[in-house]
Amino acid sequence: QVQLVESGGGSVQAGGSLRLSCAVSGGTIPCMTWFRQAPGKEREIVAVIDYDGATTYADSVKGRFTISKDSTGNILYLQMNSLKPDDTAMYYCAARHFWGRSSVTALTTAYPFWGPGTQVTVSS
């Protein structure tokens, strides 16, 4: 049974940094993704790391966020720098058995495995 658990969320002032982690157990999943959902908004992709290490980012976070995995593939990271109040959201780790090139428009329904989420709050 694949399980994902996020950690590292918290409250930070604008311009600050946070690093989110997602621990994966029960198997190695090739495609790992960070989503976020702000109050009253739809869940959206923030960043994806594909089976070969290729990364894709939402335009809103390019140049500020970095997605990565550890060498075992069992820990997913999201380094978030230059945080803005608009980055305030619940952040979710998700995974799927997909060996292609991901898009930031991929649907949430394409992902069978999800973590419970971690809250990120950025104050101005």
Side-chain angles (χ1 to χ4, degrees), residues 2 14 23 64 75 87 119-121:
V2 174
R64 299 189 298 121
I75 303 179
D87 296 318
Q119 177 67 37
V120 171
T121 302

Side-chain angles (χ1 to χ4, degrees), residues 8-11 18 20 37-39 87-91 117-122:
S11 297
L18 284 173
L20 305 183
Q37 187 167 20
D87 296 318
T88 295
M90 185 71 80
Y91 283 71
T118 187
Q119 177 67 37
V120 171
T121 302
V122 184

Side-chain angles (χ1 to χ4, degrees), residues 72-87:
T72 68
N74 291 332
I75 303 179
L76 179 71
Y77 299 104
L78 185 67
Q79 178 66 43
M80 305 186 295
N81 298 328
S82 302
L83 282 161
K84 305 175 181 179
D86 283 349
D87 296 318

